[in-house]
Amino acid sequence: MERISIEVYEIVSHVLTLGFAAMGAALLYFILTKNDNSPKYRPSSVLSVVVMVSAFLLLFLQYLSWSDAYVLSATNDAYVLAEETRLFSNGYRYLNWLIDVPMLLIQILFVAGITGAAFTKYLRNFAVTGVLMILTGYVGQFYEPGRANENVTLWLLWGFISTVFYIFVLVYITRVIKEGSANMKKSKGRPIFEFILPLFYVAWTIYPVAYVMPAFIEQLGYGTAIASQQVLYTVADISSKVIYGVLLNIVSTILSKEEGYEGA
Amino acid sequence: MERISIEVYEIVSHVLTLGFAAMGAALLYFILTKNDNSPKYRPSSVLSVVVMVSAFLLLFLQYLSWSDAYVLSATNDAYVLAEETRLFSNGYRYLNWLIDVPMLLIQILFVAGITGAAFTKYLRNFAVTGVLMILTGYVGQFYEPGRANENVTLWLLWGFISTVFYIFVLVYITRVIKEGSANMKKSKGRPIFEFILPLFYVAWTIYPVAYVMPAFIEQLGYGTAIASQQVLYTVADISSKVIYGVLLNIVSTILSKEEGYEGA
């Protein structure tokens, strides 16, 4: 934690910048394409906008937090923990996910055409399991290897509890995508919508993988472990928020056209 | 790296400022002119907006990174690496290009009138070769002359691999512009659209030239080499993103009018 290579310092800076630039750019995309969709699909775009704003702010803060923590060593050949500084922390991410996760899960309901009592049921299930998944993971990361109060047992226990909620999320999202797919049987948007299922499984599963990266601090060294973790988080963030939202938007635009919507 | 002239310090500050100011200004241009184009051409404007936002953020960070790295020397006649600072790094650019390059390549498909299976094929080819071109260049720049772990062989090898992908990009873009030109045979926009081909060749080829500038550190001195590199990157950024996008927008507006679109 006290000394990392120039490459590790730079790779983390670069990928955090990629992260917030992607969120900022996609924010404008979702605002500018919202009215290509008929009113019933627009809540999905609005929720993408909500996610982009909160993820942009969070990732920008992560970037500042990283930059503030380290300075070039006196010998100019490594980065070292700055004096009178603050530690880099992933905890920002978790509390940001309290906003993002329910929004991401709920936005797909509008595109899948789920309404009435089923909508309310999924909304409640997604909100409850999503929030519990995040809060338990948040508690867990305070014990991760490399921290002053490292406790591997508690870290893995809370991570395990969080993963149980994650499995519920996967069960619900699989049902939602199957139901949505049935609702758009005759639409050209159907294959794109169905592609969201494997994307979701891969993108969201990167998060628990990133959570366990600190387990490899001894094998990889602190720098490599933390850089891998940040790269994984960024790939997961861009896939699960931006690419996911863009696909939902494209499907919404196709459905809107097929249903006779002319655009505004 | 430790000591650069006042002129070099200032020129780099100035051109980075020119860069992000151009992106910020063009951002508003693309937003405000989007609805001069009929809906089928608007995705090109939206993708220009996406590129402007991400390039603006990146170039603003590059500017801050440059400003933070250097301070006036004790004798007031040069700039020297500040104490407890972070090194200036071009790596931000590369990861930002992961966003920009696919967007720039895809946006022209909407103006060229390429649809259906051909659209999907080009989209995939552009995305894959563009991303591989950037990632291999990103790996390469970690070995560039002047860095702590300088390795000229690896630097040139990765640069070469990146250039191979670049040649594929040039082949695809040439085809797209030829097909687009055939699609707008009777349009007044055709000569403007065709001008994009030489612009693209010149603007995009500046990037590999900028990549090899650190080779001349011994002949030119570190300061002049790095200043030339930043000037080249800025000229390339403005040409390949702003001027390119403006030309696509003008062609879209002409085509929209010729096709009877009245404006919104």
Side-chain angles (χ1 to χ4, degrees), chain B residues 27-48:
Chain B
L27 169 63
L28 270 287
Y29 167 83
F30 290 117
I31 292 174
L32 294 172
T33 55
K34 180 174 79 83
N35 287 358
D36 297 348
N37 307 330
S38 72
K40 69 174 180 173
Y41 299 116
R42 287 184 205 161
S44 173
S45 300
V46 173
L47 292 180
S48 273

Side-chain angles (χ1 to χ4, degrees), chain B residues 32-75:
Chain B
L32 294 172
T33 55
K34 180 174 79 83
N35 287 358
D36 297 348
N37 307 330
S38 72
K40 69 174 180 173
Y41 299 116
R42 287 184 205 161
S44 173
S45 300
V46 173
L47 292 180
S48 273
V49 168
V50 166
V51 169
M52 292 308 117
V53 173
S54 68
F56 172 85
L57 290 171
L58 162 278
L59 289 169
F60 186 60
L61 272 203
Q62 291 280 115
Y63 165 79
L64 292 181
S65 159
W66 180 257
S67 303
D68 285 351
Y70 294 99
V71 289
L72 200 58
S73 70
T75 47

Side-chain angles (χ1 to χ4, degrees), chain A residues 235-248:
Chain A
V235 172
D237 279 343
I238 293 177
S239 313
S240 70
K241 296 176 171 76
V242 179
I243 299 177
Y244 170 82
V246 169
L247 293 179
L248 285 176

Side-chain angles (χ1 to χ4, degrees), chain A residues 92-134:
Chain A
Y92 298 105
R93 291 185 182 276
Y94 286 82
L95 294 203
N96 168 259
W97 292 333
L98 277 183
I99 305 173
D100 291 353
V101 164
M103 299 302 114
L104 289 167
L105 296 171
I106 290 164
Q107 76 175 118
I108 196 172
L109 299 175
F110 294 96
V111 185
I114 288 167
T115 53
F119 181 92
T120 315
K121 193 195 68 182
Y122 278 122
L123 185 137
R124 197 185 48 231
N125 287 346
F126 275 148
V128 171
T129 49
V131 164
L132 289 172
M133 173 178 83
I134 299 307

Side-chain angles (χ1 to χ4, degrees), chain B residues 11 18 31 35 77 85 131 152 251:
Chain B
I11 288 170
L18 170 64
I31 292 174
N35 287 358
D77 61 348
T85 189
V131 164
V152 173
V251 173

Side-chain angles (χ1 to χ4, degrees), chain B:
Chain B
M1 187 163 76
E2 272 92 28
R3 191 180 177 86
I4 55 176
S5 75
I6 292 178
E7 286 66 36
V8 161
Y9 174 79
E10 292 188 351
I11 288 170
V12 173
S13 283
H14 302 155
V15 310
L16 289 172
T17 304
L18 170 64
F20 72 75
M23 301 302 154
L27 169 63
L28 270 287
Y29 167 83
F30 290 117
I31 292 174
L32 294 172
T33 55
K34 180 174 79 83
N35 287 358
D36 297 348
N37 307 330
S38 72
K40 69 174 180 173
Y41 299 116
R42 287 184 205 161
S44 173
S45 300
V46 173
L47 292 180
S48 273
V49 168
V50 166
V51 169
M52 292 308 117
V53 173
S54 68
F56 172 85
L57 290 171
L58 162 278
L59 289 169
F60 186 60
L61 272 203
Q62 291 280 115
Y63 165 79
L64 292 181
S65 159
W66 180 257
S67 303
D68 285 351
Y70 294 99
V71 289
L72 200 58
S73 70
T75 47
N76 288 356
D77 61 348
Y79 275 82
V80 292
L81 209 55
E83 286 185 29
E84 305 237 318
T85 189
R86 294 110 197 145
L87 292 172
F88 179 68
S89 148
N90 276 315
Y92 296 106
R93 293 185 181 275
Y94 285 82
L95 292 203
N96 171 259
W97 292 333
L98 277 184
I99 304 171
D100 291 352
V101 164
M103 298 302 113
L104 289 167
L105 295 172
I106 290 164
Q107 75 174 120
I108 197 172
L109 299 176
F110 294 96
V111 185
I114 289 167
T115 52
F119 180 91
T120 315
K121 194 195 69 183
Y122 278 122
L123 186 138
R124 198 186 45 232
N125 287 345
F126 276 148
V128 171
T129 50
V131 164
L132 289 173
M133 173 178 83
I134 299 308
L135 285 181
T136 50
Y138 179 62
V139 174
Q141 58 87 34
F142 280 109
Y143 300 108
E144 79 179 16
R147 288 185 62 101
N149 58 345
E150 161 178 346
N151 181 327
V152 173
T153 311
L154 284 177
W155 175 59
L156 291 176
L157 180 67
W158 284 106
F160 175 77
I161 297 171
S162 177
T163 308
V164 172
F165 291 116
Y166 173 51
I167 289 167
F168 277 96
V169 168
L170 287 183
V171 170
Y172 298 137
I173 198 79
T174 307
R175 277 189 214 154
V176 166
I177 291 175
K178 292 242 184 299
E179 287 176 35
S181 168
N183 288 342
M184 52 183 92
K185 263 204 183 96
K186 290 168 197 157
S187 168
K188 281 184 186 164
R190 196 187 183 194
I192 305 171
F193 185 78
E194 288 178 340
F195 176 70
I196 292 174
L197 189 62
L199 171 77
F200 193 100
Y201 271 73
V202 172
W204 284 56
T205 302
I206 296 173
Y207 289 103
V209 174
Y211 180 91
V212 301
M213 283 314 291
F216 305 106
I217 284 180
E218 279 183 36
Q219 290 87 335
L220 300 175
Y222 176 80
T224 308
I226 203 87
S228 311
Q229 190 184 38
Q230 297 306 316
V231 170
L232 287 172
Y233 274 137
T234 305
V235 172
D237 279 343
I238 294 176
S239 314
S240 70
K241 296 175 172 77
V242 179
I243 299 177
Y244 170 81
V246 169
L247 293 178
L248 285 176
N249 185 48
I250 292 171
V251 173
S252 298
T253 308
I254 293 172
L255 291 171
S256 300
K257 256 191 208 146
E258 288 171 349
E259 290 160 10
Y261 180 71
E262 298 283 345

